[in-house]
Amino acid sequence: MSYSPIGVLVFVCAVISAKWALDLGFSQARQLLWGIAGLVLGPIAMFLLYVQLVRKCQAERVPAEQW
């Protein structure tokens, strides 16, 4: 069985987006929506969530080594 590299990349973007939404404390419905956004938008959704994670860590004064 052969997998498309693009398909694998899209799946990874969706999983990472859903995981970061979980880390941000979003509800399960919003996590699902971010996972779908990761499937459709890929790196754009990941970038938006990454910015939110950085802002959350800065607000909580978490050292950069623990991100």
Side-chain angles (χ1 to χ4, degrees), residues 1 5 8 12 19 26 30 34-36 39 45 64 67:
M1 183 175 240
V8 172
V12 169
K19 200 274 188 213
F26 292 166
R30 288 188 69 193
W34 276 106
I36 293 170
L39 281 172
W67 290 358

Side-chain angles (χ1 to χ4, degrees), residues 2-61:
S2 175
Y3 295 106
S4 166
I6 299 295
V8 172
L9 179 65
V10 167
F11 178 75
V12 169
C13 287
V15 170
I16 291 173
S17 295
K19 200 274 188 213
W20 284 350
L22 174 69
D23 290 345
L24 286 167
F26 292 166
S27 67
Q28 286 183 341
R30 288 188 69 193
Q31 291 171 27
L32 179 64
L33 290 175
W34 276 106
I36 293 170
L39 281 172
V40 176
L41 302 174
I44 296 170
M46 289 176 49
F47 175 74
L48 294 173
L49 285 168
Y50 180 76
V51 169
Q52 289 182 15
L53 276 170
V54 169
R55 288 182 180 164
K56 178 183 175 188
C57 289
Q58 286 177 341
E60 295 174 356
R61 300 209 181 255

